[in-house]
Amino acid sequence: FTGNSKIKDEDLFIEISLKERSVYSRSKVKRDIERMLSLYQRSGRLSTEIIPTVEILDNNRVNLTYEINESDVAEVSKIIILGNEVFKSSKIKSLMKTKEKTLLRILSSADKYDPDKLEFDKQLITQFYNNNGYPDFKFTSTIAQLSLNSNDFEIILSVDEGIKYNFGNILVTNDLKKMNTNLILQSLPISTGDEYNASKIKESVEGIKDLAELQGYSFIEINPKLKKEDNNIDIDIIINEGPRVYVNEISISGNTRTIDKVIRREISLSEGDAYNKYSINYSKDSIRALTFFSEVDIKEIKTDYPDKLNLEVQIEEKNTGEASLGAGYSSATAATVNLGLKETNFLGKGQRVNFTTSFSNTRNTYDVSFTEPYFFEKNLSLTGSLYSNFSDPSSVYFSTCQLNL
């Protein structure tokens, strides 16, 4: 690679499929250039050019050089919103991650033009309208054009807001015998006459799922049906018992120190068990309660079989060791030094080790303890401690040694 200074060689090597000693192919070169240009575009350098040069060697070999002409970062000079009447353009722009270029954003990347970020902005705007009474909102056109004699972009977004809707009749069609339909209706965060809000419908579905799990239903289907009439939207939430789903495989990722067994014993589901959302949430809380991890999440991954799914436990470990050092002075013991060492995940096995000691002119103490939280692989905790105390207040030797188990 020649001419590249904004993106390193190693980052470009990741993007290309042609490697040294591989078979040369023009089609692969073309695809590699497209991938590298895409990398430059994501960094805002849209006018970058890449020219391949082939040097023919003996023994059917070639050297391949990519000559790169890096362009400046394309910035957004202006964002124009057309067709909006309900919400001001300033409000819509405040929702966007893409911002207009100003002197205050010299050190910010928010004003860089990125097509992917612009698509995400459109999703944010659509979601905002859907949550504020406008379910028919849509973009009629999106134009990003280069300004004359500059590397700046003007973005023009044309929108159709549609009309405003309120919630009309709210019904629950419930086929689950153990669940009270009236109780479900009372638990919903929506009422007739409220402003339409798509996020409230999603919240209603999640609330019904949680309520069903408490009643022992692990497999349910919830289908909200919407019907527009005048300026109202009637909702019928249909609840059925869905197909049974089983856990196919449980995998753990992110643990570089903690052994899998320590995490797996906190999971209340086993491979082959029926899927249960309540048990998954309970397992997630149990793993968090170990205090070994800063992040814990359990992802549900679909498999090739409709009645099976995989669970992936994703964790991020944190430091579990503690050290303390203290010093003091009293008329009884004169100078005192205290030292403490504590490890709550010893050797990644979930075991706890604690060592504390204190030194002074007249007294020395030692305290060592060890805890195995799963003795004989059962939910039974066993702690052993060794305590030693030596005291000589008046030059008369007196010592005690105590073993606690």
Side-chain angles (χ1 to χ4, degrees):
F1 304 101
T2 63
N4 57 306
S5 60
K6 304 302 180 182
I7 296 182
K8 298 179 180 178
D9 284 8
E10 49 264 34
D11 295 328
L12 292 171
F13 270 117
I14 294 174
E15 297 296 323
I16 63 175
S17 59
L18 272 177
K19 306 295 181 183
E20 293 179 358
R21 301 186 182 277
S22 63
V23 178
Y24 173 78
S25 166
R26 288 185 179 181
S27 60
K28 286 186 178 181
V29 171
K30 184 178 179 181
R31 287 197 299 270
D32 288 346
I33 291 176
E34 291 175 352
R35 289 176 62 87
M36 287 187 286
L37 287 176
S38 178
L39 183 63
Y40 272 100
Q41 288 171 0
R42 290 197 297 272
S43 65
R45 303 180 186 278
L46 303 181
S47 301
T48 296
E49 295 180 345
I50 300 178
I51 302 173
T53 301
V54 178
E55 179 187 359
I56 299 177
L57 306 175
D58 54 2
N59 297 324
N60 291 331
R61 296 175 301 141
V62 297
N63 284 340
L64 178 60
T65 303
Y66 291 105
E67 299 177 8
I68 303 174
N69 180 19
E70 296 177 326
S71 67
D72 294 331
V73 174
E75 297 175 323
V76 177
S77 60
K78 187 181 295 185
I79 300 175
I80 301 172
I81 314 292
L82 301 176
N84 57 308
E85 297 179 357
V86 180
F87 296 102
K88 295 181 179 179
S89 296
S90 57
K91 175 61 181 177
I92 297 175
K93 291 178 185 179
S94 69
L95 303 171
M96 300 174 64
K97 300 299 182 182
T98 304
K99 303 295 182 182
E100 294 173 324
K101 179 175 66 175
T102 64
L103 293 176
L104 298 177
R105 294 198 179 98
I106 295 177
L107 301 178
S108 172
S109 61
D111 58 358
K112 291 182 180 179
Y113 174 70
D114 184 344
D116 294 333
K117 186 163 66 172
L118 183 58
E119 286 300 314
F120 179 64
D121 288 333
K122 291 166 66 176
Q123 294 178 22
L124 292 177
I125 296 170
T126 301
Q127 185 180 42
F128 172 76
Y129 269 92
N130 292 167
N131 292 343
N132 285 274
Y134 294 88
D136 295 332
F137 172 85
K138 61 182 179 180
F139 287 91
T140 56
S141 68
T142 303
I143 300 173
Q145 59 186 17
L146 275 170
S147 302
L148 293 175
N149 302 321
S150 72
N151 196 37
D152 294 342
F153 271 84
E154 287 186 357
I155 297 174
I156 304 173
L157 300 176
S158 300
V159 302
D160 180 2
E161 295 175 315
I163 63 174
K164 186 174 183 179
Y165 286 89
N166 294 325
F167 284 116
N169 296 324
I170 299 174
L171 301 174
V172 172
T173 303
N174 176 28
D175 289 341
L176 306 181
K177 296 180 180 179
K178 294 182 182 179
M179 295 189 65
N180 189 306
T181 302
N182 291 329
L183 182 61
I184 296 174
L185 278 170
Q186 294 174 9
S187 67
L188 298 180
I190 55 178
S191 302
T192 300
D194 290 350
E195 181 181 82
Y196 176 83
N197 188 329
S199 65
K200 292 292 184 181
I201 298 177
K202 183 178 179 181
E203 184 181 340
S204 299
V205 171
E206 294 300 323
I208 294 173
K209 285 183 179 178
D210 293 339
L211 193 61
E213 287 166 6
L214 294 176
Q215 298 295 327
Y217 290 101
S218 300
F219 310 99
I220 62 170
E221 289 182 343
I222 303 175
N223 182 23
K225 288 198 171 182
L226 281 59
K227 181 181 178 182
K228 297 176 183 177
E229 191 167 341
D230 297 330
N231 283 19
N232 294 322
I233 294 181
D234 298 333
I235 299 179
D236 186 5
I237 302 177
I238 302 173
I239 307 172
N240 297 307
E241 191 164 5
R244 299 186 70 82
V245 180
Y246 299 89
V247 177
N248 179 56
E249 183 180 299
I250 300 176
S251 61
I252 300 172
S253 63
N255 54 321
T256 56
R257 180 166 177 258
T258 307
I259 61 178
D260 281 11
K261 181 176 68 174
V262 173
I263 303 168
R264 285 186 182 275
R265 65 193 182 195
E266 301 297 331
I267 302 174
S268 57
L269 285 170
S270 299
E271 293 169 346
D273 287 352
Y275 170 84
N276 188 310
K277 186 66 174 179
Y278 178 82
S279 296
I280 291 175
N281 292 334
Y282 182 83
S283 301
K284 190 187 302 184
D285 292 338
S286 296
I287 297 172
R288 285 199 187 104
L290 294 174
T291 68
F292 303 160
F293 314 110
S294 58
E295 296 289 339
V296 178
D297 194 14
I298 299 180
K299 297 290 187 182
E300 301 166 10
I301 303 172
K302 293 183 178 180
T303 66
D304 295 333
Y305 305 96
D307 61 339
K308 294 181 181 180
L309 56 78
N310 295 334
L311 298 180
E312 182 180 356
V313 183
Q314 299 177 347
I315 63 170
E316 183 177 331
E317 293 181 312
K318 68 177 182 180
N319 186 14
T320 55
E322 296 180 17
S324 61
L325 179 65
Y329 182 86
S330 71
S331 58
T333 60
T336 303
V337 176
N338 301 311
L339 173 65
L341 297 173
K342 183 179 180 182
E343 173 58 59
T344 58
N345 188 17
F346 185 61
L347 299 178
K349 297 180 178 180
Q351 299 163 337
R352 295 189 292 274
V353 178
N354 189 25
F355 171 75
T356 57
T357 184
S358 175
F359 303 95
S360 69
N361 291 345
T362 59
R363 185 178 182 183
N364 295 338
T365 63
Y366 302 90
D367 188 2
V368 180
S369 67
F370 174 83
T371 300
E372 170 56 64
Y374 272 79
F375 188 56
F376 285 138
E377 301 303 324
K378 296 181 179 180
N379 193 9
L380 178 66
S381 178
L382 179 69
T383 299
S385 63
L386 180 66
Y387 176 80
S388 176
N389 178 26
F390 173 76
S391 178
D392 186 18
S394 304
S395 298
V396 177
Y397 287 96
F398 176 77
S399 64
T400 62
C401 182
Q402 181 178 352
L403 177 65
N404 296 326
L405 183 60

